[in-house]
């Protein structure tokens, strides 16, 4: 990766935006140690206006693929083979997450606070724009097809698709946990739920660490850092919630990382 100090001379907006995402992630990690984001099973009153969960999900996720595309296709070198492959990685995740997942999710009739939507929109605008610009205009190593043989790309791509599979498998288990019309919470089982409370979060962290390795850009690493910083506290809160609600909750499960944490 080109040092940030060097990039700052030619692309200061990119550098300061990437630093903002790193700082945003660090702040989120600290704040979420003490406050659970008020949506899903942690939803509660007192957080201002609310919006339907399905519409809110589309509105908060859509800026990521849209901003990514806007900066990628208008970049200086969007047709490099490695850039195209990595752009496909990014869009496979986010087109599904923004425009398909909300219409498959359970609990779509619930509401979520507008404040959480706005925070997510801010992050997704920065994140999509940064990664689109990085892949479409920066990262000179992506100009050489030999990058496909680089260990960073190979390991990163394997991690990305492993995480993608874990994420989708875990979401499917959650969707099928209750019969149509049934309400309430149950203990999910199967897949990586055998070892962790939030394998969907583990899969997402794995995806974006893999993407950061495969792209080898500051934007990619800022994204991976934020993803972990945002989801690790949430996974811990989920874990504690299940332990309190279900007396027979499997003691061998960890919060996020199998066998470790």
């Amino acid at each position: 990766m080109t040092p940030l100090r060097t990039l700052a001379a030619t692309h200061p907006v990119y550098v300061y935006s990437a630093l903002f995402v790193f700082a945003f992630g660090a702040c989120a990690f600290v704040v979420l140690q003490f406050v659970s984001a008020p949506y899903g099973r942690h939803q509660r009153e007192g957080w201002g206006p609310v919006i339907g969960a399905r519409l809110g999900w589309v509105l908060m996720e859509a800026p990521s693929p849209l901003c990514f595309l806007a900066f990628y296709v208008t970049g200086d070198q969007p047709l490099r083979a490695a850039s195209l492959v990595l752009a496909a990685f990014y869009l496979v995740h986010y087109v599904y997450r923004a425009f398909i997942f909300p219409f498959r999710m359970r609990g779509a009739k619930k509401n979520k606070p507008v404040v959480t939507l706005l925070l997510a929109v801010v992050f997704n605008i920065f994140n999509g724009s940064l990664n689109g610009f990085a892949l479409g205009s920066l990262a000179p190593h992506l100009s050489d097809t030999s990058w496909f043989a680089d260990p960073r790309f190979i390991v990163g791509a394997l991690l990305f698709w492993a995480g993608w599979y874990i994420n989708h498998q875990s979401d499917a288990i959650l969707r099928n946990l209750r019969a149509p019309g049934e309400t309430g919470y149950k203990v999910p089982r199967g897949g990586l739920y055998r070892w962790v409370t939030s394998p969907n979060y583990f899969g997402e962290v794995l995806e974006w660490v893999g993407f950061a390795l495969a792209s080898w850009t500051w934007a990619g690493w800022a994204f991976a850092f934020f993803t972990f910083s945002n989801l690790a506290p949430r996974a811990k809160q989920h874990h504690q919630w299940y332990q309190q609600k279900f007396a027979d909750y499997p003691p061998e499960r960890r919060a996020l990382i199998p066998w470790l944490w």
Side-chain angles (χ1 to χ4, degrees):
M1 290 183 293
T2 305
L4 282 176
R5 183 175 297 179
T6 302
L7 276 173
T10 52
H11 302 289
V13 175
Y14 171 77
V15 169
Y16 292 124
S17 297
L19 291 175
F20 169 78
V21 173
F22 277 114
F24 195 6
C27 290
F29 184 81
V30 172
V31 170
L32 292 174
Q33 301 300 317
F34 306 98
V35 180
S36 59
Y39 64 90
R41 73 201 62 199
H42 304 288
Q43 186 172 351
R44 54 197 183 276
E45 300 293 330
W47 286 83
V50 297
I51 189 172
R54 177 173 288 135
L55 176 60
W57 194 278
V58 174
L59 292 176
M60 77 178 187
E61 295 291 335
S64 189
L66 295 178
C67 289
F68 177 89
L69 277 172
F71 278 84
Y72 181 77
V73 300
T74 58
D76 297 332
Q77 306 175 72
L79 298 180
R80 297 175 295 180
S83 291
L84 286 168
V85 169
L86 290 162
F89 285 13
Y90 190 96
L91 292 172
V92 161
H93 175 94
Y94 267 110
V95 169
Y96 173 82
R97 189 59 68 182
F99 304 115
I100 299 173
F101 174 78
F103 300 96
R104 304 181 71 192
M105 63 190 290
R106 293 290 182 92
K109 294 182 180 179
K110 293 181 179 179
N111 294 320
K112 65 182 302 166
V114 172
V115 65
T116 62
L117 181 151
L118 294 177
L119 288 171
V121 167
V122 170
F123 167 73
N124 281 322
I125 288 173
F126 273 87
N127 188 54
S129 303
L130 277 168
N131 280 284
F133 181 72
L135 296 185
S137 297
L138 301 178
H141 55 279
L142 301 182
S143 299
D144 192 339
T145 54
S146 65
W147 183 247
F148 291 127
D150 190 286
R152 287 167 291 186
F153 179 84
I154 295 170
V155 174
L158 291 173
L159 289 177
F160 178 88
W161 289 110
W164 181 90
Y165 175 78
I166 292 167
N167 197 337
H168 281 254
Q169 180 195 53
S170 304
D171 282 347
I173 291 171
L174 287 180
R175 281 197 306 272
N176 296 319
L177 195 58
R178 296 190 296 264
E182 191 177 7
T183 60
Y185 286 94
K186 297 181 179 180
V187 176
R189 301 185 188 276
L192 260 70
Y193 283 105
R194 178 178 177 184
W195 295 291
V196 292
T197 295
S198 299
N200 48 342
Y201 292 168
F202 174 69
E204 188 132 351
V205 170
L206 207 60
E207 275 187 77
W208 300 118
V209 169
F211 181 83
L213 266 176
S215 62
W216 204 244
T217 64
W218 286 106
W221 283 110
F223 187 10
F225 176 78
F226 183 91
T227 300
F228 178 82
S229 299
N230 183 47
L231 295 184
R234 184 83 172 169
K236 180 181 177 182
Q237 291 157 3
H238 278 6
H239 191 63
Q240 293 171 338
W241 183 90
Y242 274 108
Q243 288 177 321
Q244 292 167 5
K245 189 172 181 66
F246 298 97
D248 60 344
Y249 193 68
E252 68 274 11
R253 290 192 191 182
R254 298 294 182 260
L256 181 66
I257 304 173
W259 309 294
L260 295 177
W261 182 81

